[in-house]
Amino acid sequence: GQQLNQNPQSMFIQEGEDVSMNCTSSSIFNTWLWYKQDPGEGPVLLIALYKAGELTSNGRLTAQFGITRKDSFLNISASIPSDVGIYFCAGQKADSNYQLIWGAGTKLIIKP
Amino acid sequence: NAGVTQTPKFQVLKTGQSMTLQCAQDMNHNSMYWYRQDPGMGLRLIYYSASEGTTDKGEVPNGYNVSRLNKREFSLRLESAAPSQTSVYFCASKGTGVTYEQYFGPGTRLTVT
């Protein structure tokens, strides 16, 4: 079963707000990846993190590889309507070269 | 450069029917994957192929078979479809070297009645 806890499960935001989500695990990971999935599409890679403590940005998105190597965080600044979708974290454990462990996703919804 | 392509986009099967989902990538990637996605459960790995000529079971392989036809193509077969296999199926590929970044196709939406 899944070994990554992704929070929150969903969040309602106002346009312009900042957004934070995270993934945690009891296991140590070597790599953290953040993906976004739009309705009816496959997941698209947003940010890849390879070193503990690493902070990487992609436009308004910033992700961090936690110092303990057991967690990762994604922040979106000044959200816009096209940020709506499901965000997934995925991690690669030290003992697995080919498989990723996936979070259940955070669904972002814009308040009308 | 189309990336990862999947066919068909949609499929409806009756219980007991068989079908093959096709996946192809044009990025010269060694590794390919099949996932299923069910509401609220994220992505679960069915099978993967680390390189041409090899396949391995993932988290939920029961009821499925795979074939790595060549470096480009990786197919998923349901021999006798069951309603529990109603899901969205995604194929992904990963390059060589020190990278774990997987790239996804658009998915196949399968309903088994």
Side-chain angles (χ1 to χ4, degrees), chain A residues 14-64:
Chain A
Q14 297 272 17
E15 186 175 345
E17 280 183 347
D18 295 343
V19 171
S20 291
M21 60 190 79
N22 65 77
C23 268
T24 61
S25 174
S26 56
S27 301
I28 289 176
F29 287 81
N30 283 349
T31 301
W32 286 97
L33 306 171
W34 285 92
Y35 286 81
K36 184 191 178 210
Q37 185 178 29
D38 290 325
E41 306 284 336
V44 173
L45 182 65
L46 298 172
I47 294 177
L49 302 159
Y50 288 98
K51 273 175 62 173
E54 182 181 351
L55 192 71
T56 297
S57 293
N58 178 2
R60 293 176 296 104
L61 278 62
T62 302
Q64 184 161 24

Side-chain angles (χ1 to χ4, degrees), chain B residues 24-72:
Chain B
Q25 52 90 11
D26 62 2
M27 296 177 282
N28 201 34
H29 284 172
N30 275 351
S31 304
M32 297 184 74
Y33 304 79
W34 276 106
Y35 290 93
R36 60 177 288 173
Q37 184 177 38
D38 301 297
M41 296 197 70
L43 291 160
R44 291 186 292 169
L45 183 65
I46 305 171
Y47 270 94
Y48 68 100
S49 170
S51 60
E52 190 179 351
T54 69
T55 61
D56 285 286
K57 294 179 181 178
E59 182 187 351
V60 289
N62 291 346
Y64 305 95
N65 284 303
V66 290
S67 295
R68 183 73 183 268
L69 304 166
N70 47 55
K71 191 170 185 178
R72 288 188 65 246

Side-chain angles (χ1 to χ4, degrees), chain A residues 61-105:
Chain A
L61 278 62
T62 302
Q64 184 161 24
F65 193 140
I67 286 290
T68 64
R69 295 171 62 194
K70 295 182 178 180
D71 52 17
S72 181
F73 309 88
L74 177 70
N75 295 311
I76 305 173
S77 62
S79 56
I80 60 177
S82 61
D83 290 335
V84 161
I86 303 178
Y87 292 79
F88 290 100
C89 63
Q92 176 259 332
K93 291 170 71 175
D95 59 357
S96 171
N97 280 333
Y98 300 102
Q99 296 188 49
L100 294 174
I101 309 296
W102 291 82

